[in-house]
Amino acid sequence: MNPPSDLSMKNDDVLRVELEVFRREHRDLDDAIQALVDKGTGDQLTLQRLKKRKLRMKDLIAQIEDRLTPDITA
């Protein structure tokens, strides 16, 4: 994962592509976490690291969505 260092330097098309990639990675992490929990093969440290990475992905997705959503003040 190479999160963008500065979202303001990227155009909307690049951000949309990155958004889809990050959403897919977020889903993959969710699946991996669930599989480890279901099988009982994941140690707590591994699960904690995956959950933190998933949370960082969620925050990054939210930042990109905020950037792509226009501010409309009524």
Side-chain angles (χ1 to χ4, degrees):
M1 169 185 79
N2 291 328
S5 57
D6 186 7
L7 294 178
S8 64
M9 299 300 290
K10 298 188 178 195
N11 68 33
D12 287 356
D13 292 332
V14 171
L15 289 174
R16 283 187 187 92
V17 170
E18 286 184 347
L19 181 61
E20 287 308 311
V21 169
F22 294 146
R23 283 179 176 159
R24 187 176 315 119
E25 186 172 342
H26 186 267
R27 282 191 304 269
D28 291 346
L29 284 168
D30 194 37
D31 292 343
I33 291 166
Q34 193 59 47
L36 288 173
V37 169
D38 289 346
K39 289 183 180 180
T41 57
D43 62 273
Q44 289 302 314
L45 184 59
T46 301
L47 287 171
Q48 185 179 23
R49 286 180 180 165
L50 289 173
K51 287 178 180 181
K52 282 185 180 183
R53 186 171 171 194
K54 182 181 166 198
L55 192 56
R56 285 193 303 269
M57 277 284 119
K58 182 180 177 183
D59 291 342
L60 186 54
I61 289 167
Q63 287 176 357
I64 294 173
E65 288 174 339
D66 286 347
R67 167 85 195 295
L68 291 174
T69 306
D71 279 341
I72 300 175
T73 53

